Amino acid sequence: MTDTHDSDDAPVATAKSGDPAGEASSAIADAKGDTIIGRAVTINRPVEEVYSYFRDFSNLPSFMENVVSIDVKDARLSHWMVKAPGGKTVEWDARVTADEPNRLIAWTSEEGADVPNSGTVTFDPVEGRGTVVTATILYDPPGGVVGKLIAKMFQKEPAIQARRDLNRFKQLMEAGEVATPAMNPRQHEEMGL
């Protein structure tokens, strides 16, 4: 993915000028989504380990809090079920559009997705520091602007979740486990989280 914003290492979604969503979508085959988020985290593990764990999509529910399940159909296609605000779930099929081992994974949702989305995850080795993992996601929030506000209230908005999920991924890769939430699962359900 090529960024045309300032020459820093920040995700394209953080650009202060230009059209970040347009830049991101031009780098993704069949890009879907008008809202863009970008998050990055440095993980103190070799790029090969980080990429390998992430590329096995069946591992993702272990650190992605709202992902209920991912059914891996083949090397390019998977079915996602994700918790949404109000106790609902949304589903879609995702197709890998680019896969450069130890460097990049790009995807786009197939037609009929409850939440049209696409994005990239890049893996950049940093000498003596591990791997910088950058997620750039385009999506169309269900319910448009109102749905986005409701999701934000319930802290299920993708920008919030992406930050939390990447931090949990870092914990898992560095410590071998993810810190548990202060509330037990029943308390989370009662609060609609």
Side-chain angles (χ1 to χ4, degrees):
M1 182 165 136
T2 304
D3 309 2
T4 58
H5 66 287
D6 298 333
S7 61
D8 58 20
D9 291 333
V12 69
T14 63
K16 293 183 175 136
S17 61
D19 178 15
E23 290 176 31
S25 64
S26 68
I28 302 168
D30 299 323
K32 294 179 178 67
D34 293 329
T35 302
I36 185 170
I37 61 168
R39 296 289 182 262
V41 67
T42 301
I43 298 174
N44 192 14
R45 303 297 298 165
V47 69
E48 298 83 9
E49 288 180 29
V50 176
Y51 167 85
S52 179
Y53 191 90
F54 197 98
R55 183 57 180 94
D56 181 354
F57 298 144
S58 66
N59 288 330
L60 301 184
S62 69
F63 64 88
M64 291 183 164
E65 184 177 47
N66 287 330
V67 175
V68 175
S69 65
I70 299 173
D71 179 20
V72 177
K73 298 182 183 280
D74 60 39
R76 295 258 182 226
L77 191 65
S78 56
H79 181 80
W80 291 58
M81 183 181 295
V82 177
K83 289 185 240 176
K88 297 180 182 182
T89 59
V90 292
E91 299 183 44
W92 63 84
D93 287 333
R95 178 176 34 92
V96 173
T97 58
D99 187 359
E100 300 172 26
N102 304 325
R103 171 84 184 102
L104 171 134
I105 301 167
W107 76 92
T108 189
S109 61
E110 297 285 90
E111 290 300 318
D114 290 341
V115 179
N117 66 88
S118 55
T120 62
V121 177
T122 60
F123 306 85
D124 297 306
V126 180
E127 187 66 35
R129 294 184 51 217
T131 305
V132 175
V133 178
T134 304
T136 304
I137 303 165
L138 292 154
Y139 71 102
D140 287 332
V145 174
V146 173
K148 189 173 180 181
L149 290 172
I150 291 169
K152 202 172 257 190
M153 285 177 14
F154 286 99
Q155 296 197 0
K156 293 209 184 278
E157 201 265 331
I160 296 168
Q161 280 308 125
R163 183 184 72 242
R164 290 178 178 172
D165 289 345
L166 283 177
N167 285 335
R168 279 191 291 278
F169 185 39
K170 176 181 175 72
Q171 290 174 7
L172 183 63
M173 293 305 296
E174 291 180 355
E177 62 186 0
V178 176
T180 58
M183 292 186 282
N184 67 41
R186 192 183 95 235
Q187 290 169 315
H188 268 268
E189 287 180 22
E190 289 172 357
M191 293 187 69
L193 299 176

